[in-house]
Amino acid sequence: MQMAEKGVMDITSVDEALEWQASHAERAFAPCTGRVVRACRAVLATDIEIARRMKAWPGLSLEDAMPLRIAGGFHNLYLTGDAPELGPVYDGQVSGQAEVDRIVVALAERFDARLAPWLDGPPQTNEAGRSASLMAGLLWLAQRLGPRFEINEIGASAGVNTMMERYRYDLGGTRVGPADSPMRIRPEWKGPPPPAGPVEIAAIRGCDVAPVDLSDPEQALRLKSYVWADARERMARIDAAIRLAGERRPDLVAQDAGDFVLDMLARPQPAGVTRVLQHSVMWQYLPKLTRAVIEETMERAGAAATSERPLAWVRLETNRQTFRHELRVRYWPGGEQWTHLAEAHPHGAWVEWYGK
């Protein structure tokens, strides 16, 4: 399939979108999840509610992450103990697609009413592994703007990455963060390491339109449901994040991303601290108008930034044409053009560093 050439986000066929997402999961070392997603093509042949809704999806299926919405619903059935038959599928004992199709279709028909609400909203894949790229971006910025940062994250979900100052990183041999942290972030590193040096996060906060409270077991379980079942390291990271949030809750507000950015820029900024807008794998979920407001707001603020009070934008987002996850950074004054620093595995398993 040459789907990337036409822009995967622009795929209009639901069947094609499910196949692409299944193949993408397989390429991302999650073949068991890929088989469950592919089995949803067989679900389309039924007349249950989720089949009707998927077939009549009112937008671009991959743009809306529709396949990942329903995949989260199936994983939730397993995590709650209501679909033990998925156990052999998720651990790879059952790998024939026809048998996986049979299991998934039977579950879809039995749990149709319970699965349907999973299609109502986008997945919240709050992944600590992505913060490896974000921290590498801060290390790069520290060489240019100084080591002190105020981080403001949009689309923060449960705030997993607004606790990044509490994580221990090994980024190709560049180590940063508290050595005794229960959260160990050590991706496979390709290319030279990011620059070594101090990073001091003076303040860090985030927003989400529907923030997840990790202290609520039901909400925490929903977040875990969006983690691909093959990814045991990711599940361990979510558990570590839940532990850290229990010790000190992340600073989160329920707010529109555009309003959050406006509020961020209206706050007094201490001298010697770089104000950072940060986000990862969430930009596609924002309305186009909100994206435009944020871009215009940052341009205006950047024009007013000074070397004493710099502004930076750190983003790990999906390239809509290649579906590769790219770390790009810009800063004011002096670095107004986007710099492509790295590409990364969608959940942080590896980072390929291009920055110098």
Side-chain angles (χ1 to χ4, degrees):
M1 290 179 293
Q2 300 297 319
M3 296 182 189
E5 294 180 4
K6 72 178 189 181
V8 296
M9 288 292 189
D10 298 322
I11 292 172
T12 55
S13 163
V14 172
D15 186 75
E16 190 179 357
L18 288 167
E19 175 57 36
W20 189 92
Q21 186 65 70
S23 298
H24 177 69
E26 292 167 347
R27 292 192 298 271
F29 313 113
C32 302
T33 295
R35 294 180 195 113
V36 171
V37 172
R38 185 172 287 114
C40 290
R41 300 174 67 190
V43 174
L44 294 176
T46 70
D47 191 37
I48 61 177
E49 181 183 355
I50 62 171
R52 292 193 296 271
R53 288 185 61 179
M54 286 192 291
K55 285 185 287 190
W57 194 256
L60 296 174
S61 299
L62 289 174
E63 171 86 6
D64 296 334
M66 182 272 281
L68 297 181
R69 299 184 190 202
I70 199 64
F74 281 109
H75 194 198
N76 183 263
L77 290 177
Y78 174 68
L79 290 176
T80 56
D82 294 320
E85 54 266 58
L86 281 173
V89 175
Y90 284 140
D91 65 18
Q93 293 182 51
V94 173
S95 58
Q97 191 61 51
E99 180 62 11
V100 176
D101 288 357
R102 185 193 66 76
I103 292 170
V104 168
V105 169
L107 288 171
E109 292 175 337
R110 182 164 26 128
F111 292 103
D112 188 28
R114 183 164 151 188
L115 286 166
W118 287 84
L119 291 169
D120 292 343
Q124 290 185 294
T125 49
N126 210 191
E127 174 49 61
R130 292 172 182 154
S131 69
S133 296
L134 302 174
M135 178 56 76
L138 295 180
L139 286 162
W140 185 86
L141 280 170
Q143 304 294 305
R144 291 154 177 81
L145 303 175
R148 301 191 71 215
F149 297 96
E150 171 206 289
I151 310 296
N152 301 269
E153 184 179 28
I154 55 175
S157 188
V160 167
N161 289 326
T162 63
M163 298 188 289
M164 62 186 292
E165 84 283 9
R166 294 187 254 171
Y167 301 167
R168 178 66 173 178
Y169 297 91
D170 183 340
L171 308 176
T174 296
R175 296 177 177 86
V176 63
D180 61 349
S181 174
M183 182 73 81
R184 322 296 286 188
I185 307 290
R186 187 178 182 177
E188 177 190 351
W189 200 265
K190 305 176 184 181
V199 167
E200 179 188 341
I201 297 180
I204 184 165
R205 65 193 185 102
C207 81
D208 197 276
V209 290
V212 176
D213 182 359
L214 287 178
S215 68
D216 180 338
E218 185 174 337
Q219 292 188 52
L221 181 62
R222 184 177 180 86
L223 190 67
K224 292 176 74 169
S225 299
Y226 288 120
V227 176
W228 293 352
D230 317 59
R232 289 174 175 80
E233 288 187 7
R234 292 180 63 203
M235 295 294 276
R237 286 197 291 265
I238 285 287
D239 287 335
I242 291 171
R243 171 183 164 184
L244 287 169
E247 294 172 0
R248 187 173 81 248
R249 295 177 67 175
D251 185 0
L252 284 178
V253 295
Q255 192 174 19
D256 169 79
D259 293 339
F260 180 82
V261 172
L262 288 169
D263 289 350
M264 168 191 91
L265 295 169
R267 292 187 173 195
Q269 181 177 353
V273 175
T274 299
R275 175 164 283 162
V276 179
L277 172 63
Q278 171 178 291
H279 51 91
S280 60
V281 196
M282 57 74 62
W283 191 251
Q284 73 192 61
Y285 302 130
L286 291 177
K288 291 182 180 179
L289 179 59
T290 302
R291 297 180 212 169
V293 167
I294 292 172
E295 288 168 345
E296 181 181 347
T297 301
M298 289 294 287
E299 291 287 354
R300 286 200 309 268
T306 66
S307 57
E308 194 174 42
R309 291 178 174 82
L311 178 68
W313 193 343
V314 180
R315 52 179 288 157
L316 177 68
E317 292 293 345
T318 309
N319 182 311
R320 287 172 52 85
Q321 298 304 310
T322 66
F323 213 71
R324 296 175 72 87
H325 296 77
E326 300 174 348
L327 174 68
R328 293 182 179 270
V329 176
R330 64 190 300 204
Y331 63 91
W332 299 264
E336 289 81 3
Q337 300 303 311
W338 286 108
T339 298
H340 184 185
L341 291 179
E343 291 187 0
H345 179 274
H347 306 124
W350 55 262
V351 176
E352 185 169 2
W353 181 253
Y354 304 138
K356 297 180 180 179

